[in-house]
PDB file of all heavy atoms in Angstrom:
ATOM      1  N   GLU A1320      24.224  -7.111   3.780  1.00 96.00           N
ATOM      2  CA  GLU A1320      23.423  -6.668   2.654  1.00 96.00           C
ATOM      3  C   GLU A1320      22.154  -5.932   3.064  1.00 96.00           C
ATOM      4  O   GLU A1320      21.450  -5.381   2.212  1.00 96.00           O
ATOM      5  CB  GLU A1320      23.070  -7.840   1.721  1.00 96.00           C
ATOM      6  CG  GLU A1320      22.452  -9.034   2.429  1.00 96.00           C
ATOM      7  CD  GLU A1320      23.466 -10.126   2.728  1.00 96.00           C
ATOM      8  OE1 GLU A1320      24.569  -9.806   3.207  1.00 96.00           O
ATOM      9  OE2 GLU A1320      23.151 -11.312   2.478  1.00 96.00           O
ATOM     10  N   ASP A1321      21.849  -5.919   4.351  1.00 97.00           N
ATOM     11  CA  ASP A1321      20.737  -5.119   4.846  1.00 97.00           C
ATOM     12  C   ASP A1321      21.124  -3.654   5.024  1.00 97.00           C
ATOM     13  O   ASP A1321      20.253  -2.822   5.320  1.00 97.00           O
ATOM     14  CB  ASP A1321      20.229  -5.664   6.184  1.00 97.00           C
ATOM     15  CG  ASP A1321      19.635  -7.051   6.069  1.00 97.00           C
ATOM     16  OD1 ASP A1321      18.934  -7.330   5.073  1.00 97.00           O
ATOM     17  OD2 ASP A1321      19.860  -7.869   6.990  1.00 97.00           O
ATOM     18  N   THR A1322      22.385  -3.351   4.878  1.00 98.00           N
ATOM     19  CA  THR A1322      22.848  -1.978   5.032  1.00 98.00           C
ATOM     20  C   THR A1322      22.160  -1.068   4.021  1.00 98.00           C
ATOM     21  O   THR A1322      22.203  -1.316   2.817  1.00 98.00           O
ATOM     22  CB  THR A1322      24.362  -1.902   4.859  1.00 98.00           C
ATOM     23  OG1 THR A1322      24.999  -2.636   5.909  1.00 98.00           O
ATOM     24  CG2 THR A1322      24.846  -0.460   4.901  1.00 98.00           C
ATOM     25  N   ALA A1323      21.525  -0.034   4.516  1.00 98.00           N
ATOM     26  CA  ALA A1323      20.774   0.875   3.663  1.00 98.00           C
ATOM     27  C   ALA A1323      20.202   1.986   4.524  1.00 98.00           C
ATOM     28  O   ALA A1323      20.257   1.935   5.754  1.00 98.00           O
ATOM     29  CB  ALA A1323      19.633   0.143   2.946  1.00 98.00           C
ATOM     30  N   VAL A1324      19.647   2.975   3.868  1.00 98.00           N
ATOM     31  CA  VAL A1324      18.791   3.933   4.548  1.00 98.00           C
ATOM     32  C   VAL A1324      17.379   3.381   4.513  1.00 98.00           C
ATOM     33  O   VAL A1324      16.875   3.003   3.451  1.00 98.00           O
ATOM     34  CB  VAL A1324      18.844   5.322   3.899  1.00 98.00           C
ATOM     35  CG1 VAL A1324      17.883   6.281   4.598  1.00 98.00           C
ATOM     36  CG2 VAL A1324      20.263   5.873   3.946  1.00 98.00           C
ATOM     37  N   TYR A1325      16.752   3.332   5.656  1.00 98.00           N
ATOM     38  CA  TYR A1325      15.412   2.779   5.772  1.00 98.00           C
ATOM     39  C   TYR A1325      14.404   3.912   5.920  1.00 98.00           C
ATOM     40  O   TYR A1325      14.580   4.816   6.730  1.00 98.00           O
ATOM     41  CB  TYR A1325      15.321   1.825   6.959  1.00 98.00           C
ATOM     42  CG  TYR A1325      15.950   0.485   6.668  1.00 98.00           C
ATOM     43  CD1 TYR A1325      17.330   0.358   6.588  1.00 98.00           C
ATOM     44  CD2 TYR A1325      15.164  -0.647   6.442  1.00 98.00           C
ATOM     45  CE1 TYR A1325      17.919  -0.859   6.289  1.00 98.00           C
ATOM     46  CE2 TYR A1325      15.744  -1.867   6.150  1.00 98.00           C
ATOM     47  CZ  TYR A1325      17.121  -1.964   6.071  1.00 98.00           C
ATOM     48  OH  TYR A1325      17.700  -3.185   5.780  1.00 98.00           O
ATOM     49  N   TYR A1326      13.358   3.823   5.121  1.00 98.00           N
ATOM     50  CA  TYR A1326      12.340   4.859   5.067  1.00 98.00           C
ATOM     51  C   TYR A1326      10.979   4.299   5.447  1.00 98.00           C
ATOM     52  O   TYR A1326      10.612   3.196   5.038  1.00 98.00           O
ATOM     53  CB  TYR A1326      12.226   5.438   3.656  1.00 98.00           C
ATOM     54  CG  TYR A1326      13.460   6.125   3.150  1.00 98.00           C
ATOM     55  CD1 TYR A1326      14.446   5.416   2.474  1.00 98.00           C
ATOM     56  CD2 TYR A1326      13.646   7.489   3.338  1.00 98.00           C
ATOM     57  CE1 TYR A1326      15.583   6.044   1.996  1.00 98.00           C
ATOM     58  CE2 TYR A1326      14.776   8.122   2.865  1.00 98.00           C
ATOM     59  CZ  TYR A1326      15.735   7.399   2.195  1.00 98.00           C
ATOM     60  OH  TYR A1326      16.860   8.028   1.715  1.00 98.00           O
ATOM     61  N   CYS A1327      10.250   5.082   6.176  1.00 97.00           N
ATOM     62  CA  CYS A1327       8.874   4.780   6.512  1.00 97.00           C
ATOM     63  C   CYS A1327       7.952   5.558   5.580  1.00 97.00           C
ATOM     64  O   CYS A1327       8.222   6.714   5.254  1.00 97.00           O
ATOM     65  CB  CYS A1327       8.605   5.169   7.969  1.00 97.00           C
ATOM     66  SG  CYS A1327       6.923   4.891   8.544  1.00 97.00           S
ATOM     67  N   ASN A1328       6.888   4.918   5.168  1.00 97.00           N
ATOM     68  CA  ASN A1328       5.942   5.565   4.279  1.00 97.00           C
ATOM     69  C   ASN A1328       4.514   5.276   4.695  1.00 97.00           C
ATOM     70  O   ASN A1328       4.156   4.129   4.955  1.00 97.00           O
ATOM     71  CB  ASN A1328       6.165   5.089   2.839  1.00 97.00           C
ATOM     72  CG  ASN A1328       5.261   5.795   1.858  1.00 97.00           C
ATOM     73  OD1 ASN A1328       4.189   5.295   1.527  1.00 97.00           O
ATOM     74  ND2 ASN A1328       5.693   6.961   1.403  1.00 97.00           N
ATOM     75  N   LEU A1329       3.727   6.325   4.743  1.00 97.00           N
ATOM     76  CA  LEU A1329       2.292   6.198   4.972  1.00 97.00           C
ATOM     77  C   LEU A1329       1.609   6.169   3.622  1.00 97.00           C
ATOM     78  O   LEU A1329       1.855   7.024   2.770  1.00 97.00           O
ATOM     79  CB  LEU A1329       1.770   7.377   5.792  1.00 97.00           C
ATOM     80  CG  LEU A1329       1.955   7.363   7.308  1.00 97.00           C
ATOM     81  CD1 LEU A1329       3.417   7.244   7.703  1.00 97.00           C
ATOM     82  CD2 LEU A1329       1.326   8.614   7.913  1.00 97.00           C
ATOM     83  N   GLY A1330       0.746   5.190   3.411  1.00 96.00           N
ATOM     84  CA  GLY A1330       0.096   5.071   2.129  1.00 96.00           C
ATOM     85  C   GLY A1330      -1.180   4.272   2.206  1.00 96.00           C
ATOM     86  O   GLY A1330      -1.910   4.325   3.200  1.00 96.00           O
ATOM     87  N   SER A1331      -1.431   3.540   1.149  1.00 95.00           N
ATOM     88  CA  SER A1331      -2.651   2.751   1.068  1.00 95.00           C
ATOM     89  C   SER A1331      -2.444   1.615   0.090  1.00 95.00           C
ATOM     90  O   SER A1331      -1.548   1.657  -0.761  1.00 95.00           O
ATOM     91  CB  SER A1331      -3.833   3.616   0.633  1.00 95.00           C
ATOM     92  OG  SER A1331      -3.611   4.165  -0.660  1.00 95.00           O
ATOM     93  N   PHE A1332      -3.280   0.619   0.213  1.00 92.00           N
ATOM     94  CA  PHE A1332      -3.274  -0.485  -0.733  1.00 92.00           C
ATOM     95  C   PHE A1332      -4.346  -0.245  -1.780  1.00 92.00           C
ATOM     96  O   PHE A1332      -5.506   0.003  -1.458  1.00 92.00           O
ATOM     97  CB  PHE A1332      -3.512  -1.813  -0.037  1.00 92.00           C
ATOM     98  CG  PHE A1332      -2.312  -2.328   0.692  1.00 92.00           C
ATOM     99  CD1 PHE A1332      -2.246  -2.280   2.069  1.00 92.00           C
ATOM    100  CD2 PHE A1332      -1.245  -2.862  -0.013  1.00 92.00           C
ATOM    101  CE1 PHE A1332      -1.139  -2.757   2.741  1.00 92.00           C
ATOM    102  CE2 PHE A1332      -0.128  -3.336   0.649  1.00 92.00           C
ATOM    103  CZ  PHE A1332      -0.082  -3.284   2.034  1.00 92.00           C
ATOM    104  N   GLU A1333      -3.939  -0.328  -3.020  1.00 91.00           N
ATOM    105  CA  GLU A1333      -4.854  -0.198  -4.137  1.00 91.00           C
ATOM    106  C   GLU A1333      -5.251  -1.580  -4.626  1.00 91.00           C
ATOM    107  O   GLU A1333      -4.883  -2.598  -4.046  1.00 91.00           O
ATOM    108  CB  GLU A1333      -4.210   0.621  -5.250  1.00 91.00           C
ATOM    109  CG  GLU A1333      -3.750   2.006  -4.820  1.00 91.00           C
ATOM    110  CD  GLU A1333      -4.879   2.907  -4.380  1.00 91.00           C
ATOM    111  OE1 GLU A1333      -6.033   2.693  -4.831  1.00 91.00           O
ATOM    112  OE2 GLU A1333      -4.626   3.830  -3.593  1.00 91.00           O
ATOM    113  N   ARG A1334      -6.013  -1.584  -5.708  1.00 88.00           N
ATOM    114  CA  ARG A1334      -6.459  -2.845  -6.288  1.00 88.00           C
ATOM    115  C   ARG A1334      -5.275  -3.761  -6.562  1.00 88.00           C
ATOM    116  O   ARG A1334      -4.236  -3.329  -7.072  1.00 88.00           O
ATOM    117  CB  ARG A1334      -7.224  -2.564  -7.586  1.00 88.00           C
ATOM    118  CG  ARG A1334      -7.712  -3.808  -8.308  1.00 88.00           C
ATOM    119  CD  ARG A1334      -8.466  -3.438  -9.573  1.00 88.00           C
ATOM    120  NE  ARG A1334      -8.821  -4.611 -10.344  1.00 88.00           N
ATOM    121  CZ  ARG A1334      -9.893  -5.348 -10.127  1.00 88.00           C
ATOM    122  NH1 ARG A1334     -10.729  -5.048  -9.153  1.00 88.00           N
ATOM    123  NH2 ARG A1334     -10.136  -6.413 -10.894  1.00 88.00           N
ATOM    124  N   GLY A1335      -5.448  -5.006  -6.194  1.00 86.00           N
ATOM    125  CA  GLY A1335      -4.395  -5.984  -6.378  1.00 86.00           C
ATOM    126  C   GLY A1335      -3.390  -6.017  -5.254  1.00 86.00           C
ATOM    127  O   GLY A1335      -2.401  -6.751  -5.329  1.00 86.00           O
ATOM    128  N   GLY A1336      -3.615  -5.227  -4.228  1.00 83.00           N
ATOM    129  CA  GLY A1336      -2.711  -5.214  -3.101  1.00 83.00           C
ATOM    130  C   GLY A1336      -1.456  -4.391  -3.322  1.00 83.00           C
ATOM    131  O   GLY A1336      -0.478  -4.546  -2.590  1.00 83.00           O
ATOM    132  N   ILE A1337      -1.471  -3.531  -4.307  1.00 89.00           N
ATOM    133  CA  ILE A1337      -0.316  -2.699  -4.600  1.00 89.00           C
ATOM    134  C   ILE A1337      -0.253  -1.531  -3.619  1.00 89.00           C
ATOM    135  O   ILE A1337      -1.218  -0.785  -3.455  1.00 89.00           O
ATOM    136  CB  ILE A1337      -0.362  -2.166  -6.040  1.00 89.00           C
ATOM    137  CG1 ILE A1337      -0.474  -3.324  -7.039  1.00 89.00           C
ATOM    138  CG2 ILE A1337       0.862  -1.313  -6.335  1.00 89.00           C
ATOM    139  CD1 ILE A1337       0.665  -4.306  -6.965  1.00 89.00           C
ATOM    140  N   PHE A1338       0.896  -1.384  -2.988  1.00 90.00           N
ATOM    141  CA  PHE A1338       1.065  -0.301  -2.034  1.00 90.00           C
ATOM    142  C   PHE A1338       1.356   1.000  -2.759  1.00 90.00           C
ATOM    143  O   PHE A1338       2.232   1.056  -3.622  1.00 90.00           O
ATOM    144  CB  PHE A1338       2.204  -0.619  -1.068  1.00 90.00           C
ATOM    145  CG  PHE A1338       2.367   0.403   0.018  1.00 90.00           C
ATOM    146  CD1 PHE A1338       1.552   0.378   1.140  1.00 90.00           C
ATOM    147  CD2 PHE A1338       3.327   1.397  -0.081  1.00 90.00           C
ATOM    148  CE1 PHE A1338       1.688   1.323   2.140  1.00 90.00           C
ATOM    149  CE2 PHE A1338       3.470   2.345   0.912  1.00 90.00           C
ATOM    150  CZ  PHE A1338       2.644   2.306   2.027  1.00 90.00           C
ATOM    151  N   ARG A1339       0.621   2.025  -2.396  1.00 93.00           N
ATOM    152  CA  ARG A1339       0.822   3.340  -2.978  1.00 93.00           C
ATOM    153  C   ARG A1339       1.209   4.323  -1.885  1.00 93.00           C
ATOM    154  O   ARG A1339       0.509   4.465  -0.890  1.00 93.00           O
ATOM    155  CB  ARG A1339      -0.433   3.812  -3.697  1.00 93.00           C
ATOM    156  CG  ARG A1339      -0.202   5.065  -4.522  1.00 93.00           C
ATOM    157  CD  ARG A1339      -1.233   5.201  -5.599  1.00 93.00           C
ATOM    158  NE  ARG A1339      -0.966   6.351  -6.452  1.00 93.00           N
ATOM    159  CZ  ARG A1339      -0.293   6.305  -7.587  1.00 93.00           C
ATOM    160  NH1 ARG A1339       0.170   5.137  -8.039  1.00 93.00           N
ATOM    161  NH2 ARG A1339      -0.098   7.406  -8.291  1.00 93.00           N
ATOM    162  N   SER A1340       2.308   4.996  -2.103  1.00 92.00           N
ATOM    163  CA  SER A1340       2.851   5.873  -1.079  1.00 92.00           C
ATOM    164  C   SER A1340       2.114   7.202  -1.019  1.00 92.00           C
ATOM    165  O   SER A1340       1.540   7.664  -2.008  1.00 92.00           O
ATOM    166  CB  SER A1340       4.336   6.133  -1.339  1.00 92.00           C
ATOM    167  OG  SER A1340       4.512   6.812  -2.565  1.00 92.00           O
ATOM    168  N   ALA A1341       2.154   7.814   0.154  1.00 93.00           N
ATOM    169  CA  ALA A1341       1.566   9.128   0.345  1.00 93.00           C
ATOM    170  C   ALA A1341       2.540  10.086   1.031  1.00 93.00           C
ATOM    171  O   ALA A1341       2.791  11.186   0.544  1.00 93.00           O
ATOM    172  CB  ALA A1341       0.273   9.029   1.145  1.00 93.00           C
ATOM    173  N   TYR A1342       3.093   9.667   2.165  1.00 96.00           N
ATOM    174  CA  TYR A1342       4.003  10.512   2.928  1.00 96.00           C
ATOM    175  C   TYR A1342       5.258   9.728   3.288  1.00 96.00           C
ATOM    176  O   TYR A1342       5.176   8.611   3.804  1.00 96.00           O
ATOM    177  CB  TYR A1342       3.331  11.027   4.199  1.00 96.00           C
ATOM    178  CG  TYR A1342       2.097  11.850   3.947  1.00 96.00           C
ATOM    179  CD1 TYR A1342       0.829  11.304   4.094  1.00 96.00           C
ATOM    180  CD2 TYR A1342       2.199  13.183   3.561  1.00 96.00           C
ATOM    181  CE1 TYR A1342      -0.308  12.055   3.861  1.00 96.00           C
ATOM    182  CE2 TYR A1342       1.064  13.939   3.327  1.00 96.00           C
ATOM    183  CZ  TYR A1342      -0.185  13.372   3.479  1.00 96.00           C
ATOM    184  OH  TYR A1342      -1.312  14.125   3.245  1.00 96.00           O
ATOM    185  N   TRP A1343       6.387  10.360   3.034  1.00 96.00           N
ATOM    186  CA  TRP A1343       7.687   9.753   3.315  1.00 96.00           C
ATOM    187  C   TRP A1343       8.357  10.403   4.514  1.00 96.00           C
ATOM    188  O   TRP A1343       8.230  11.610   4.739  1.00 96.00           O
ATOM    189  CB  TRP A1343       8.630   9.919   2.126  1.00 96.00           C
ATOM    190  CG  TRP A1343       8.297   9.110   0.922  1.00 96.00           C
ATOM    191  CD1 TRP A1343       7.627   9.529  -0.185  1.00 96.00           C
ATOM    192  CD2 TRP A1343       8.646   7.743   0.685  1.00 96.00           C
ATOM    193  NE1 TRP A1343       7.540   8.509  -1.096  1.00 96.00           N
ATOM    194  CE2 TRP A1343       8.152   7.404  -0.591  1.00 96.00           C
ATOM    195  CE3 TRP A1343       9.330   6.780   1.420  1.00 96.00           C
ATOM    196  CZ2 TRP A1343       8.318   6.137  -1.141  1.00 96.00           C
ATOM    197  CZ3 TRP A1343       9.492   5.520   0.879  1.00 96.00           C
ATOM    198  CH2 TRP A1343       8.996   5.210  -0.386  1.00 96.00           C
ATOM    199  N   GLY A1344       9.101   9.591   5.237  1.00 97.00           N
ATOM    200  CA  GLY A1344      10.030  10.118   6.206  1.00 97.00           C
ATOM    201  C   GLY A1344      11.360  10.408   5.548  1.00 97.00           C
ATOM    202  O   GLY A1344      11.553  10.182   4.347  1.00 97.00           O
ATOM    203  N   GLU A1345      12.295  10.915   6.318  1.00 97.00           N
ATOM    204  CA  GLU A1345      13.603  11.269   5.772  1.00 97.00           C
ATOM    205  C   GLU A1345      14.609  10.133   5.848  1.00 97.00           C
ATOM    206  O   GLU A1345      15.689  10.221   5.262  1.00 97.00           O
ATOM    207  CB  GLU A1345      14.168  12.498   6.484  1.00 97.00           C
ATOM    208  CG  GLU A1345      14.448  12.288   7.963  1.00 97.00           C
ATOM    209  CD  GLU A1345      14.906  13.557   8.653  1.00 97.00           C
ATOM    210  OE1 GLU A1345      14.701  14.654   8.094  1.00 97.00           O
ATOM    211  OE2 GLU A1345      15.476  13.463   9.749  1.00 97.00           O
ATOM    212  N   GLY A1346      14.273   9.082   6.537  1.00 97.00           N
ATOM    213  CA  GLY A1346      15.111   7.903   6.571  1.00 97.00           C
ATOM    214  C   GLY A1346      16.005   7.809   7.781  1.00 97.00           C
ATOM    215  O   GLY A1346      16.326   8.803   8.423  1.00 97.00           O
ATOM    216  N   THR A1347      16.407   6.601   8.085  1.00 98.00           N
ATOM    217  CA  THR A1347      17.366   6.341   9.145  1.00 98.00           C
ATOM    218  C   THR A1347      18.369   5.312   8.645  1.00 98.00           C
ATOM    219  O   THR A1347      17.997   4.325   8.010  1.00 98.00           O
ATOM    220  CB  THR A1347      16.661   5.873  10.438  1.00 98.00           C
ATOM    221  OG1 THR A1347      17.616   5.726  11.495  1.00 98.00           O
ATOM    222  CG2 THR A1347      15.924   4.556  10.244  1.00 98.00           C
ATOM    223  N   GLN A1348      19.635   5.570   8.905  1.00 98.00           N
ATOM    224  CA  GLN A1348      20.699   4.733   8.371  1.00 98.00           C
ATOM    225  C   GLN A1348      20.884   3.480   9.201  1.00 98.00           C
ATOM    226  O   GLN A1348      21.014   3.538  10.427  1.00 98.00           O
ATOM    227  CB  GLN A1348      22.016   5.513   8.327  1.00 98.00           C
ATOM    228  CG  GLN A1348      23.224   4.692   7.873  1.00 98.00           C
ATOM    229  CD  GLN A1348      23.194   4.357   6.404  1.00 98.00           C
ATOM    230  OE1 GLN A1348      22.939   5.227   5.572  1.00 98.00           O
ATOM    231  NE2 GLN A1348      23.440   3.087   6.080  1.00 98.00           N
ATOM    232  N   VAL A1349      20.917   2.355   8.522  1.00 98.00           N
ATOM    233  CA  VAL A1349      21.247   1.076   9.144  1.00 98.00           C
ATOM    234  C   VAL A1349      22.511   0.555   8.484  1.00 98.00           C
ATOM    235  O   VAL A1349      22.569   0.419   7.260  1.00 98.00           O
ATOM    236  CB  VAL A1349      20.113   0.054   8.987  1.00 98.00           C
ATOM    237  CG1 VAL A1349      20.556  -1.335   9.451  1.00 98.00           C
ATOM    238  CG2 VAL A1349      18.881   0.508   9.754  1.00 98.00           C
ATOM    239  N   THR A1350      23.513   0.289   9.290  1.00 98.00           N
ATOM    240  CA  THR A1350      24.769  -0.255   8.788  1.00 98.00           C
ATOM    241  C   THR A1350      25.074  -1.541   9.528  1.00 98.00           C
ATOM    242  O   THR A1350      25.130  -1.559  10.763  1.00 98.00           O
ATOM    243  CB  THR A1350      25.914   0.746   8.971  1.00 98.00           C
ATOM    244  OG1 THR A1350      25.596   1.971   8.314  1.00 98.00           O
ATOM    245  CG2 THR A1350      27.208   0.186   8.390  1.00 98.00           C
ATOM    246  N   VAL A1351      25.277  -2.599   8.777  1.00 98.00           N
ATOM    247  CA  VAL A1351      25.557  -3.908   9.348  1.00 98.00           C
ATOM    248  C   VAL A1351      26.967  -4.304   8.946  1.00 98.00           C
ATOM    249  O   VAL A1351      27.262  -4.452   7.758  1.00 98.00           O
ATOM    250  CB  VAL A1351      24.555  -4.966   8.881  1.00 98.00           C
ATOM    251  CG1 VAL A1351      24.820  -6.293   9.584  1.00 98.00           C
ATOM    252  CG2 VAL A1351      23.129  -4.498   9.143  1.00 98.00           C
ATOM    253  N   SER A1352      27.821  -4.469   9.915  1.00 98.00           N
ATOM    254  CA  SER A1352      29.202  -4.829   9.655  1.00 98.00           C
ATOM    255  C   SER A1352      29.368  -6.341   9.663  1.00 98.00           C
ATOM    256  O   SER A1352      28.642  -7.067  10.351  1.00 98.00           O
ATOM    257  CB  SER A1352      30.127  -4.191  10.685  1.00 98.00           C
ATOM    258  OG  SER A1352      29.838  -4.661  11.991  1.00 98.00           O
TER     259      SER A1352
END
């Protein structure tokens, strides 16, 4: 169930600890058999 495309994001934490995205990568595929 961890199988997915994984993305890295540069961002910041806003009030309440909410993560806000700024820059995305294109992702890397993880497949777990």
Side-chain angles (χ1 to χ4, degrees):
E1320 52 262 45
D1321 295 320
T1322 296
V1324 177
Y1325 283 72
Y1326 297 89
C1327 179
N1328 183 266
L1329 279 58
S1331 61
F1332 283 106
E1333 303 296 334
R1334 178 180 174 84
I1337 304 301
F1338 185 81
R1339 190 158 184 94
S1340 63
Y1342 300 101
W1343 290 98
E1345 64 184 17
T1347 185
Q1348 176 72 47
V1349 171
T1350 303
V1351 184
S1352 62

